[in-house]
Amino acid sequence: MTDDHVYLTLAESDHEAEARWAYGTGFADPLLGVDTALAPDVDGADLSLYCQMLGDDALILSQRLIEWCTRAPELEEEVALANLGLDLLGQARLLLSRAGQADGSGRGEDDFAYWRPEHEFRNVRLVEVANGDFAFSVARLLLFATARGALYELLAGAPDPVLRAVAVRGAKELAYHQEYATAWTLRLGDGTAYSAERMQAGLDAVWPLLDELFTPHEVELRLGVDPTALREPVLAALAEVITEARLTVPTALPLARIGGRAGRDGVHTEALGPLLAEFQSVAREHPGATW
Amino acid sequence: MVQQEQSALEERFDAVVAAEQRIEPRDWMPDAYRATLVRQIAQHAHSEIIGMQPEGNWLTRAPSLRRKAILLAKAQDEAGHGLYLYAAAETLGVDRAELTEKLISGRQKYSSIFNYPTLTFADVGVIGWLVDGAAICNQVPLCRCSYGPYARAMVRVCKEESFHQRQGYELLMTLMRGTEGQRRMVRDAVDRWWWPSLMMFGPPDGDSPNTAQSMAWRIKRHTNDELRQRFVDMTVPQAEHLGVTLPDPALSWNEERGSWDFGEPDWSELQQVIKGNGPCNAERIDRRRAAHEDGAWVREAAVAYAAKQEERNV
């Protein structure tokens, strides 16, 4: 590139686009070559709801990670947190798109993200609560990444080809998320007296929200993807990290449900409403617009 | 140092620069050259980091998931640019923590453009088109800067910036094809960002006392006014293609010069912004300071943990 031809670079063809991002974006179609036909024995409505559950988890946690942007403790963490947010956002887009195919409604990713009311969001409450301090965010990420990584491994045998493709790709991403959260749990837990106190407080605060990830919804049971199986291995993996960080595995009880219902049923904490109000505000100011 | 040795070093430095070769970190360089580079590279790194704020303002509200992903990838790139520019500055004997301290205490500057607010989502597109476009005009010549680490960092930065610019322009094209409300947003954003973008090239040549020395050192390759003209000449046809009117009644094609004539920016506004009285100066620094201070215990923990690990491994 010479300075006489600054703008020539802008005319370069699209196939080079991926390489132009410093950290990559995964914007290339990850479903290339994946058979997107619905399996005959899978209920489309159930599959759609399940894709919304997992898609909403990823979408809402990515929004919380995005909130760290320009507020992270170090520039390396700015890069890393944005990277995690991008991974989850990518997973959410695939899952929500699949939800619209599965239920036959033809709704796209943005229809789900911007135009559903709060009670139709199916994410667990763990991902929606406010960020808290860095230790709280690390604790939340540790729990989520450990559980979601394990689930994606399970879903490599899922009854839907798109779900399988998302799970295979997502498992690699979640492995990095888990590694990142583990590294910071160790640094904070075994760092200074103050950081250990914050990390323990973070774990204690998120712990009651963990159980929801292992509590099966009827849709999951019908699809044969019972998350109960994750409980033991995930708890064991978490205990190992927490012990190595010289912290105490919390014993707090699961957060109560409301009339038996929680996030997967669309019953949330007070944190989700304001998050969605912000998330959806511009799109809803311009109904029918294309962006 | 013996006078003779000193002048031999100076001669060698001058010869390397004159031959369009690169000065590397271990080479001898005049103190003023080093100080100029530290100031410029630090200011550039600070601009990348502060520059995440105006667009970051729209990350949580981006109106489609695709735009959200693009904007997030861009913010991530900017943090990355900051990182490798700070690394380039560190080759000159300063460290990142010290430069950050100077930024948040107001002793070092960043580009004044980031002291303007982003008021609608169209601002994201206009920043990509005009602000990144102006930055590219400024930065592409720096790929041939005489200081090696800076020149090499700029090659990568420029490639990524040009992609950001194209993304911004593509967003604006989409909005201009959209609803009347979307078109109104674009026009409003162009009206607000045009003049600040022109001022990104710095004061007119007559008021730019450091330019001559920087050009002699091959840090800078073109004067502020030359770069500003180049930017206008490239941008006017793009504005026409987009279907927006640039807010300058004096804009007209000059057949004789083969260039666009344009009006005089309000330099008193630039002076105000530089002196700290811009629309967002206080917020930008406050945010950066808060992130730095709120994160202190996290950085301390990482240092303490690393020290413990080292001790255990002994």
Side-chain angles (χ1 to χ4, degrees):
Chain A
M1 182 167 31
T2 76
D3 50 326
D4 299 324
H5 298 284
V6 185
Y7 283 73
L8 283 186
T9 59
L10 302 182
E12 285 170 17
S13 59
D14 263 321
H15 68 266
E16 289 183 32
E18 184 72 11
R20 293 214 164 263
W21 297 90
Y23 297 94
T25 59
F27 288 165
D29 181 7
L31 294 182
L32 203 67
V34 173
D35 178 12
T36 56
L38 273 186
D41 53 341
V42 170
D43 182 90
D46 278 349
L47 178 62
S48 175
L49 279 177
Y50 188 55
C51 288
Q52 290 176 59
M53 291 172 183
L54 302 188
D56 289 344
D57 286 348
L59 184 70
I60 301 301
L61 186 53
S62 82
Q63 179 82 348
R64 287 303 186 203
L65 288 167
I66 283 170
E67 289 174 3
W68 273 105
C69 187
T70 73
R71 293 175 170 88
E74 189 58 287
L75 297 182
E76 284 80 355
E77 274 33 78
E78 290 285 355
V79 174
L81 293 169
N83 193 26
L84 307 186
L86 271 172
D87 284 347
L88 292 173
L89 184 53
Q91 293 168 21
R93 294 177 65 190
L94 293 171
L95 289 163
L96 294 177
S97 297
R98 186 55 170 171
Q101 292 168 351
D103 68 4
S105 67
R107 283 179 288 177
E109 58 184 46
D110 289 338
D111 295 316
F112 285 102
Y114 293 94
W115 298 96
R116 276 179 307 164
E118 178 183 331
H119 68 268
E120 289 183 19
F121 276 76
R122 298 281 182 158
N123 57 280
V124 291
R125 293 175 294 181
L126 173 70
V127 297
E128 74 199 27
V129 293
N131 275 338
D133 66 3
F134 189 68
F136 181 94
S137 286
V138 165
R140 185 223 312 257
L141 189 66
L142 180 71
L143 269 52
F144 181 80
T146 306
R148 188 48 40 98
L151 177 66
Y152 279 161
E153 279 175 29
L154 195 72
L155 289 180
D160 180 60
V162 174
L163 209 46
R164 282 200 296 275
V166 171
V168 167
R169 171 190 152 105
K172 290 180 203 141
E173 293 171 343
L174 267 298
Y176 167 67
H177 298 195
Q178 194 182 345
E179 196 181 295
Y180 178 82
T182 299
W184 271 110
T185 303
L186 296 179
R187 285 185 199 117
L188 296 180
D190 195 15
T192 64
Y194 181 74
S195 69
E197 188 187 304
R198 296 312 312 155
M199 193 63 228
Q200 186 68 56
L203 286 166
D204 290 347
V206 295
W207 205 259
L209 295 157
L210 177 62
D211 193 68
E212 213 179 323
L213 284 165
F214 312 131
T215 309
H217 187 275
E218 57 188 20
V219 162
E220 292 170 296
L221 295 176
R222 284 199 297 269
L223 287 170
V225 285
D226 185 353
T228 317
L230 302 176
R231 189 190 304 267
E232 289 315 315
V234 169
L235 284 174
L238 290 173
E240 195 180 319
V241 174
I242 293 169
T243 308
E244 196 190 334
R246 302 179 186 223
L247 299 169
T248 309
V249 178
T251 50
L253 291 174
L255 196 69
R257 301 165 76 83
I258 301 174
R261 296 186 300 160
R264 291 281 184 251
D265 312 287
V267 175
H268 294 279
T269 66
E270 289 181 355
L272 186 59
L275 180 150
L276 290 176
E278 183 177 2
F279 191 115
Q280 299 174 331
S281 58
V282 178
R284 288 186 174 215
E285 250 177 71
H286 300 267
T290 300
W291 302 92
Chain B
M1 195 182 290
V2 186
Q3 192 72 36
Q4 255 176 337
E5 281 177 30
Q6 174 77 17
S7 57
L9 288 168
E10 274 178 19
E11 257 173 50
R12 189 180 164 276
F13 172 85
D14 290 342
V16 168
V17 169
E20 295 284 345
Q21 289 169 346
R22 300 278 173 267
I23 302 295
E24 296 298 336
R26 287 161 193 273
D27 295 343
W28 181 89
M29 62 188 88
D31 290 344
Y33 176 85
R34 185 185 297 273
T36 297
L37 277 168
V38 167
R39 184 171 48 82
Q40 182 170 336
I41 299 172
Q43 179 167 330
H44 194 162
H46 298 331
S47 299
E48 294 285 353
I49 300 307
I50 296 287
M52 294 166 70
Q53 290 184 33
E55 287 173 292
N57 180 34
W58 289 92
L59 269 173
T60 56
R61 292 177 287 169
S64 77
L65 298 186
R66 176 171 167 264
R67 293 293 174 199
K68 204 191 238 329
I70 289 172
L71 191 54
L72 183 54
K74 183 178 177 187
Q76 188 189 26
D77 278 357
E78 280 159 359
H81 293 174
L83 274 174
Y84 37 86
L85 284 163
Y86 282 123
E90 286 184 331
T91 64
L92 291 159
V94 290
D95 74 82
R96 199 211 300 181
E98 169 191 341
L99 298 177
T100 301
E101 202 53 53
K102 283 184 174 163
L103 168 68
I104 61 183
S105 61
R107 281 175 294 154
Q108 278 179 347
K109 304 273 184 216
Y110 53 90
S111 178
S112 289
I113 193 79
F114 300 121
N115 288 319
Y116 286 88
T118 50
L119 302 178
T120 74
F121 192 71
D123 288 39
V124 167
V126 171
I127 286 181
W129 174 39
L130 295 180
V131 175
D132 293 339
I136 292 166
C137 285
N138 266 331
Q139 291 168 7
V140 167
L142 291 173
C143 298
R144 294 194 288 133
C145 162
S146 59
Y147 188 59
Y150 192 29
R152 289 187 287 274
M154 291 319 298
V155 171
R156 186 164 174 192
V157 169
C158 283
K159 281 186 185 172
E160 287 158 11
E161 291 290 350
S162 70
F163 191 55
H164 297 168
Q165 197 212 15
R166 191 169 61 175
Q167 291 286 355
Y169 193 73
E170 189 265 331
L171 168 59
L172 297 178
M173 288 295 285
T174 303
L175 298 186
M176 290 303 286
R177 284 194 297 262
T179 65
E180 184 48 36
Q182 287 175 305
R183 278 189 290 279
R184 199 181 316 123
M185 281 165 66
V186 175
R187 290 187 209 110
D188 165 64
V190 169
D191 283 349
R192 281 182 288 108
W193 288 96
W194 172 249
W195 292 107
S197 299
L198 287 190
M199 291 193 270
M200 282 176 72
F201 298 94
D205 292 348
D207 300 329
S208 181
N210 299 325
T211 293
Q213 180 62 74
S214 277
M215 286 180 73
W217 277 331
R218 305 278 207 275
I219 295 174
K220 206 166 168 170
R221 296 275 170 175
H222 308 281
T223 71
N224 297 350
D225 286 335
E226 284 166 8
L227 290 168
R228 194 170 2 254
Q229 180 70 59
R230 183 177 295 204
F231 173 70
V232 171
D233 288 345
M234 287 189 289
T235 307
V236 170
Q238 294 175 338
E240 280 171 5
H241 182 64
L242 191 60
V244 295
T245 307
L246 297 170
D248 179 1
L251 206 57
S252 64
W253 178 250
N254 184 323
E255 195 64 59
E256 206 174 304
R257 290 199 303 120
S259 260
W260 288 86
D261 290 335
F262 57 97
E264 194 73 17
D266 179 357
W267 296 114
S268 67
E269 181 179 303
L270 180 65
Q271 283 311 314
Q272 273 205 322
V273 179
I274 288 174
K275 284 183 180 140
N277 200 31
C280 300
N281 294 54
E283 290 92 325
R284 300 292 186 239
I285 287 296
D286 284 354
R287 167 75 66 84
R288 185 72 193 94
R289 185 186 299 120
H292 189 68
E293 289 173 359
D294 294 349
W297 69 271
V298 176
R299 297 190 300 274
E300 282 159 20
V303 171
Y305 177 76
K308 284 185 195 178
Q309 288 300 100
E310 203 167 313
E311 217 169 275
R312 286 169 195 154
N313 289 339
V314 169

